[in-house]
Amino acid sequence: MSVRVAAIVISHSQPEWLHKTLIALQSQTCPVDEIVAVDSSLNGDCSEVLKDFGVKTIVRRADKNFGALVAAGVGQSTSGFVTNTTANDLETAELEKLHRAIGWYWLLHEDSVPEPNALEQLLAAADLSPSVALLGPKQVDPTSPKKIVQMGLTLTKAGAIFSLVDGELDQAQHDSLDDVLAIGTAGALIRSDLYRRLQGFDRHAPNLASEIDFSVRARLSGYRVVVVPSARVSHAELTLNGLRPRRWLGTSPETAKRRAEIHLQLAYLPGYLVWLYALFLPVSGLLRSLWQLASKRPNLVFAEVSAAFWGFGTLPVRLLSRTRVNLNRDIKYSSLRPLRASWSTVRNRNRLLQDHVDLEPVALDAAPAKTPSKKFSGAGAWFIFFALLVSSWQYWPTNTAAVGGSLAPLSSDWFHLADRAGSSWQNSGLGLAAPSDPFNWLLAGIGFFWFVTPSIALATTILLSRSIAFAGAWHAMGLVSRRAWLRNLLALAYALWPSFVLAQNRGLLGAILTWMALPWLILAVAKLATKSPDNRARGRQSSWLGASGLLFAVVALSSAATALLLAAALALVVATRPRRIGVLIWVPSLAVLLVFPFAWHLAIGLGNPLATLSEPGIPVGSQPEDFWQILLSAGGASWLSGLASVALWPALFLLLAVVAWFTDRALLAAALSGFATFGAAAGFVLQRIDFAALGVNGNAAATGSITALALLLAAGISLDSFKKKWLTTLAGSFGISFALLASLGAFGIPQPFSVLPAPELKFSSVRTVPAIFEAEAGQGTRFRLLKISQEDSSLFSAQLVWADSLLLESNSTAYRFALPESLADSDAFWSVDALVANLVSANGADLAPAFARANIGYVMVPLNDSVDLAAALNAVPELESVGETEFGWLWSVKDASAAAPPNPNNQTWSITKGLQLFGIAVFVLLAVPAGRSRRAQGVGAIFSETDFDEAEPDFASSGAIADSRDGGAN
């Protein structure tokens, strides 16, 4: 029996593809009886193409709803059979009769080009069974016709859209595929009576959900939905690849896909579950966004959140689709369960995508792959790693907490440590509503690794600092050389650079952490900036993005000046790799989130923008050096005196860096030398900034890490370019000799150029105040201790101490900068000043009200202070002697229970802290390595995700710091 077929062609602003589709439509071995074109373009280009091909029925409709466009085409499909009569003029019975005469509608998108026998094969399959009413072709890639992009759709057990065949090489392995849950509409053949019974496509459904919804409703009505593998259609998937105007979907393809899944859930879930699902949509969207981050799919985070709120906000419209689902239902939805994708099917698909190789042929004359360089263990680097650990034996923790330099004990309670991070109230002296030092986030992160006693974790970090810095520098040196011995030499020089060793010796925690993190940061950013041909490494690339953000934050929290220099370097990388800007721009975002409130308060609130450049921790000054001293020893080497005592071995690498200017990688060498100079200049300026509130000047030890690493990378270019073996051996021998001489100082052994003094770093218990005072604080009292010191015969200084205010995490830069002006003008300040004057003079004044107003419960005098001061305090009737403690002579205030309660503004949580914590969580989830890189479960080829390419950075043969020919996309 002959059937009539009307082709419904939907076009939207793609005249080139429409031209190809119409040619293919006219070339069918089984020609259609009628062509109805529906053009939703905003211009007339597609309509002109249709007229040129002689299409008589053209419907112009500026609509982006797919169901409405198909309905418009179907409504005009009788024009080829009735002369001078439109469908609107016909009676319902006559229209139905004409629809039955047509028999089938063949839906074609403008980007779906059927092969000549496609319609013939679809009709032949339809004749095999009267229950077949919806047929779909095998969709293939136009650029690679042997690659299948879709052969039927289904839903997973979790409700995600799932493509049954995704990106596989067509080897006839799926040619027996038959019944499916749903098919795509590109090339779909629909029986006209089915279309009338289902009342067309659901206009309330999003575009990407309407085709699945139509197929499922056909199944529920008792019809079969099949795929015909012998019918092939080339489908470019312009919508799913984001190549159409955004107005077509109204959002990104990823968001549209998630919206479609939410709509289908609301349409087909049982009634008792749909309200629960709808109620928790916003929460589930946030949770799923975190899961997408952990699964290394950051491009789906916004899609999850926005789609969830979209579903919740348009719930009434979604529920209208449920009424259409229940019309003409002959079977239960649960009976379709065998057609849905099982968990094992999803796992197998993910595994297949992971193991899938590129289908494109490899040219025979392609350049051979570079010989892989030795791994860390194969290069003998582990031996140096542990040797450096042994060389740090003087920093082995002999007690719980490291003290000295910028260090002080951390709280023994990790939760207190985390509580102080991001706090907006400072328990220093009189108390202050101000952001805490961003460095506290870093302290909380370090303490988490041994949360039982965080101070142990900090002391262990200092012990491992040389070894960790060596490991990072070893991997970073792979950017300029693959020679194992050269990477060992350069990394060893970095770990033993004079200013780094001195920073460890003096307990300069900010500088130590900067030297440790910098090489790893350079490596991670290089991974992001370099495009790799391996498209399967998206998960690892996301991990590098998370690691880069965390490492940049570590540097910014440890040394703001160093972070500013790195931001300038990152801007240069972005300028040379503009197509990677979408990834690289996020690297400093976490650091900005953590530092901005603190920097804003210092710059705007206190009017001192330079205060942000002060080193974190207890203030430690340094002696200003000449520029050449900073350049040679990277800052902070003022323990050397005179030209004869300068550590000369860094000068060797400076010379080699200059030699690198004359190699074939001169541009890269010049850029590295320039950054080394900028690092030294920054240290030179920083040492001359007088932070009056801190009583110290700046320190160049942290910024020196940029100088050292840049010089060593440039020297690596020079050494790697030596072709003569004897030159390489000579340079390497000199370098190793100087490095060994430098390392002798680390063991305390005299050497020709310098002798490293004994470490200033000591180890003690975590207690910072007398035990009785600490015990009372542990019971919930919030008294303060007044510490009085005698500077000379007529000058006294006083300090208000909380039980936890001498801990490292309670150190407040904002309080110290606020003290000279705003705090000094307060009544509380002068009240304490008068109290101290009355105490040291023992003039018999009534001091009980002053003690109560200041909430003081104890008074302490250091043991080495004047005996006269102790005698004066013994004469104060409001005080009772406790005796001698390890911290000084102690007195308790009588009737201290009458003291005022703590300040009600003592709040440690805020919206700002919540946002900062969320930002940290996001980057941590990104940084966690993925077990297997895989695509998101779901539509795969239909809804393609943008892959992050794995990068193996190798500038060993490049002539610039970056190549603008990089084609990496975001």
Side-chain angles (χ1 to χ4, degrees):
M1 181 180 67
S2 63
V3 295
R4 311 287 298 275
V5 178
I8 310 296
V9 181
I10 310 296
S11 64
H12 185 76
S13 304
Q14 296 291 333
E16 297 83 2
W17 280 102
L18 179 61
H19 184 272
K20 297 178 182 179
T21 300
L22 292 175
I23 291 177
L25 184 58
Q26 293 181 347
S27 303
Q28 292 298 301
T29 57
C30 180
V32 298
D33 298 286
E34 181 186 16
I35 299 177
V36 178
V38 183
D39 183 18
S40 61
S41 307
L42 296 180
N43 54 44
D45 294 346
C46 289
S47 295
E48 292 298 324
V49 173
L50 292 167
K51 292 177 181 178
D52 292 342
F53 273 87
V55 178
K56 297 180 180 179
T57 308
I58 303 175
V59 181
R60 289 293 302 274
R61 182 163 181 169
D63 200 321
K64 58 184 180 181
N65 184 276
F66 181 77
L69 296 176
V70 174
V74 170
Q76 297 297 323
S77 62
T78 62
S79 60
F81 301 95
V82 181
T83 305
N84 297 326
T85 305
T86 64
N88 294 330
D89 299 327
L90 297 176
E91 297 293 335
T92 303
E94 294 176 345
L95 183 60
E96 183 176 345
K97 181 179 179 180
L98 288 172
H99 279 167
R100 287 199 181 97
I102 294 173
W104 296 90
Y105 301 120
W106 193 22
L107 298 186
L108 288 172
H109 302 177
E110 62 189 353
D111 61 342
S112 56
V113 183
E115 293 189 353
N117 67 339
L119 180 57
E120 180 182 358
Q121 294 296 327
L122 289 171
L123 291 173
D127 287 339
L128 298 178
S129 172
S131 62
V132 175
L134 186 56
L135 304 93
K138 176 191 291 183
Q139 297 183 18
V140 298
D141 189 340
T143 60
S144 181
K146 294 293 290 181
K147 185 187 297 184
I148 306 172
V149 297
Q150 187 196 122
M151 281 187 67
L153 301 171
T154 186
L155 298 173
T156 68
K157 300 299 183 182
I161 302 175
F162 188 82
S163 179
L164 295 170
V165 182
D166 177 14
E168 296 184 32
L169 187 65
D170 188 3
Q171 298 175 322
Q173 73 273 32
H174 296 295
D175 281 1
S176 61
L177 190 64
D178 195 5
D179 281 79
V180 294
L181 180 66
I183 60 171
T185 53
L189 189 65
I190 307 173
R191 214 161 73 190
S192 59
D193 59 334
L194 170 65
Y195 184 88
R196 291 196 313 274
R197 180 175 179 179
L198 299 182
Q199 300 179 10
F201 290 86
D202 185 3
R203 302 189 188 187
H204 300 300
N207 282 349
L208 299 184
S210 59
E211 56 189 3
I212 297 178
D213 170 78
F214 186 85
S215 297
V216 173
R217 288 191 289 125
R219 279 284 184 185
L220 295 177
S221 298
Y223 294 94
R224 290 177 60 195
V225 180
V226 300
V227 170
V228 183
S230 57
R232 293 166 54 92
V233 171
S234 296
H235 191 199
E237 298 184 313
L238 299 178
T239 299
L240 308 168
N241 292 324
L243 300 178
R244 289 191 188 276
R246 188 180 179 90
R247 64 174 295 270
W248 175 251
L249 289 177
T251 184
S252 67
E254 293 83 4
T255 304
K257 177 241 180 177
R258 183 58 191 148
R259 287 182 178 182
E261 292 172 346
I262 291 174
H263 174 86
L264 293 171
Q265 292 279 38
L266 293 172
Y268 290 98
L269 277 175
Y272 64 91
L273 287 179
V274 67
W275 291 107
L276 185 64
Y277 178 80
L279 181 64
F280 285 97
L281 259 179
V283 176
S284 68
L286 295 174
L287 295 178
R288 285 177 62 94
S289 67
L290 294 178
W291 170 251
Q292 298 293 6
L293 281 175
S295 302
K296 303 299 169 290
R297 296 187 285 262
N299 57 319
L300 298 182
V301 171
F302 176 78
E304 292 289 355
V305 177
S306 63
F309 282 93
W310 169 86
F312 186 81
T314 61
L315 183 59
V317 180
R318 304 305 118 216
L319 295 179
L320 287 176
S321 296
R322 294 182 65 86
T323 59
R324 184 179 290 255
V325 169
N326 294 324
L327 291 175
N328 303 308
R329 176 185 288 190
D330 292 338
I331 61 176
K332 294 182 178 180
Y333 182 67
S334 58
S335 63
L336 303 181
R337 188 175 294 114
L339 295 175
R340 300 183 68 172
S342 63
W343 297 118
S344 60
T345 301
V346 175
R347 286 195 300 270
N348 292 337
R349 166 59 52 78
N350 290 335
R351 189 178 300 112
L352 179 64
L353 290 175
Q354 168 65 20
D355 299 333
H356 175 64
V357 296
D358 194 352
L359 300 177
E360 296 299 325
V362 178
L364 296 177
D365 59 347
K370 293 182 180 180
T371 303
S373 59
K374 290 183 179 180
K375 302 299 182 183
F376 192 74
S377 56
W382 277 115
F383 173 79
I384 303 176
F385 181 93
F386 288 109
L388 288 170
L389 181 60
V390 172
S391 74
S392 300
W393 62 271
Q394 297 176 88
Y395 306 102
W396 183 269
T398 56
N399 207 328
T400 307
V403 297
S406 66
L407 292 165
L410 297 176
S411 173
S412 57
D413 180 6
W414 180 83
F415 292 100
H416 179 270
L417 192 64
D419 200 41
R420 297 308 308 161
S423 172
S424 54
W425 175 263
Q426 307 311 312
N427 283 339
S428 296
L430 298 170
L432 178 68
S436 64
D437 288 19
F439 191 63
N440 287 346
W441 285 112
L442 192 51
L443 295 177
I446 294 173
F448 180 77
F449 288 98
W450 191 251
F451 60 87
V452 177
T453 311
S455 291
I456 288 289
L458 182 59
T460 304
T461 300
I462 297 172
L463 173 68
L464 295 172
S465 59
R466 288 184 196 171
S467 299
I468 295 175
F470 166 79
W474 190 93
H475 287 91
M477 295 307 160
L479 299 174
V480 296
S481 177
R482 293 179 178 271
R483 299 182 184 182
W485 73 267
L486 182 54
R487 295 170 74 175
N488 287 340
L489 169 64
L490 297 175
L492 180 62
Y494 180 80
L496 295 175
W497 205 268
S499 58
F500 182 31
V501 175
L502 182 65
Q504 188 184 32
N505 181 274
R506 298 185 62 191
L508 304 179
L509 183 57
I512 293 173
L513 295 176
T514 301
W515 280 79
M516 291 170 61
L518 181 63
W520 295 106
L521 174 59
I522 298 302
L523 176 67
V525 172
K527 290 277 188 178
L528 289 178
T530 309
K531 183 181 185 297
S532 169
D534 184 2
N535 292 324
R536 294 171 290 167
R538 174 184 52 80
R540 284 177 299 210
Q541 192 77 349
S542 299
S543 295
W544 284 117
L545 175 59
S548 298
L550 291 173
L551 289 167
F552 195 97
V554 169
V555 174
L557 302 184
S558 302
S559 173
T562 306
L564 290 177
L565 294 176
L566 292 178
L570 186 62
L572 177 61
V573 174
V574 170
T576 56
R577 299 287 176 113
R579 300 188 66 181
R580 304 296 288 173
I581 186 173
V583 177
L584 294 173
I585 197 173
W586 292 103
V587 172
S589 60
L590 178 60
V592 172
L593 179 63
L594 298 178
V595 175
F596 180 77
F598 175 75
W600 178 269
H601 178 80
L602 293 180
I604 306 302
L606 301 180
N608 196 336
L610 292 180
T612 309
L613 301 178
S614 61
E615 295 298 311
I618 308 303
V620 178
S622 63
Q623 294 297 323
E625 301 170 291
D626 293 332
F627 177 80
W628 66 268
Q629 290 178 306
I630 298 177
L631 183 62
L632 284 180
S633 295
S638 57
W639 48 280
L640 302 170
S641 59
L643 180 61
S645 298
V646 172
L648 294 179
W649 64 270
L652 171 64
F653 292 102
L654 176 61
L655 178 62
L656 290 171
V658 175
V659 173
W661 298 354
F662 304 97
T663 65
D664 56 353
R665 286 178 283 169
L667 183 59
L668 176 59
L672 291 170
S673 300
F675 277 112
T677 305
F678 282 132
F684 180 82
V685 174
L686 197 61
Q687 283 188 342
R688 283 154 179 80
I689 297 178
D690 183 15
F691 297 106
L694 306 179
V696 297
N697 61 314
N699 195 299
T703 55
S705 60
I706 292 181
T707 300
L709 187 61
L711 285 179
L712 289 171
L713 285 169
I717 293 175
S718 180
L719 291 172
D720 190 66
S721 66
F722 287 173
K723 303 301 182 183
K724 298 293 185 180
K725 186 176 181 181
W726 67 270
L727 285 174
T728 303
T729 304
L730 179 63
S733 299
F734 272 106
I736 292 174
S737 299
F738 279 114
L740 289 175
L741 287 173
S743 65
L744 294 178
F747 290 96
I749 303 174
Q751 40 133 332
F753 301 106
S754 64
V755 178
L756 193 65
E760 300 176 21
L761 193 64
K762 307 296 181 184
F763 295 94
S764 68
S765 66
V766 296
R767 183 176 298 155
T768 57
V769 292
I772 185 174
F773 179 47
E774 186 178 50
E776 285 201 19
Q779 294 175 359
T781 60
R782 294 296 295 168
F783 297 135
R784 287 184 283 197
L785 180 148
L786 178 62
K787 180 180 177 182
I788 304 176
S789 302
Q790 186 168 3
E791 305 296 335
D792 55 36
S793 59
S794 59
L795 181 63
F796 298 87
S797 64
Q799 181 181 9
L800 281 175
V801 177
W802 301 76
D804 58 356
S805 62
L806 297 181
L807 298 172
L808 184 57
E809 69 269 21
S810 296
N811 175 71
S812 175
T813 302
Y815 183 85
R816 287 195 296 269
F817 276 95
L819 185 60
E821 296 181 4
S822 58
L823 291 180
D825 293 337
S826 66
D827 293 337
F829 178 87
W830 291 109
S831 175
V832 174
D833 181 78
L835 174 62
V836 173
N838 290 328
L839 283 172
V840 299
S841 63
N843 56 13
D846 182 12
L847 303 180
F851 281 124
R853 282 194 301 271
N855 202 23
I856 296 174
Y858 291 90
V859 178
M860 187 178 70
V861 174
L863 293 176
N864 57 351
D865 271 16
S866 170
V867 177
D868 294 338
L869 177 58
L873 294 180
N874 282 327
V876 175
E878 288 84 1
L879 298 180
E880 182 178 0
S881 177
V882 176
E884 181 181 346
T885 69
E886 58 181 311
F887 299 98
W889 297 98
L890 187 66
W891 290 262
S892 64
V893 178
K894 297 177 181 178
D895 300 324
S897 59
N903 193 307
N905 293 324
N906 188 357
Q907 301 295 326
T908 57
W909 278 93
S910 62
I911 296 177
T912 301
K913 181 171 182 176
L915 292 174
Q916 291 176 336
L917 192 60
F918 177 77
I920 293 172
V922 167
F923 276 87
V924 168
L925 287 174
L926 278 175
V928 174
R932 295 175 68 88
S933 298
R934 58 185 182 272
R935 292 189 186 181
Q937 99 177 9
V939 184
I942 300 182
F943 302 100
S944 61
E945 299 175 28
T946 303
D947 289 344
F948 286 120
D949 300 320
E950 168 67 352
E952 177 61 32
D954 177 22
F955 298 129
S957 58
S958 70
I961 198 167
D963 187 351
S964 60
R965 293 173 298 173
D966 172 42
N970 306 318

